[in-house]
Amino acid sequence: MWDRLAGLYLIAILAGFALTLVPASAIITSPVSTVLTLIGGIIIVIFAIAIIHLAFRALFTKHTKS
């Protein structure tokens, strides 16, 4: 389960990078592009923290066989 969750978080980070690279065009104006860049940066930071949290939980969780 952890690997699926981490994979989902990595995909969210890639989507954040995609949002930061949206160019301004006739449809997407410069202010909208700026907002998308900001949202993409926030998404990258949030999901990077989530992956770090998963790593720490996996590191400090006792793995016992029942």
Side-chain angles (χ1 to χ4, degrees):
M1 177 177 157
W2 293 108
D3 55 344
R4 287 186 180 180
L5 194 57
L8 182 65
Y9 290 167
L10 285 174
I11 291 170
I13 290 174
L14 288 175
F17 276 115
L19 282 175
T20 60
L21 298 176
V22 171
S25 64
I27 297 172
I28 300 174
T29 61
S30 181
V32 174
S33 180
T34 304
V35 170
L36 290 177
T37 302
L38 180 65
I39 291 171
I42 291 170
I43 288 173
I44 292 168
V45 170
I46 288 173
F47 285 103
I49 291 171
I51 289 176
I52 292 169
H53 175 72
L54 282 177
F56 278 131
R57 281 182 59 186
L59 183 64
F60 294 117
T61 301
K62 293 183 181 181
H63 297 286
T64 59
K65 294 183 179 180
S66 300

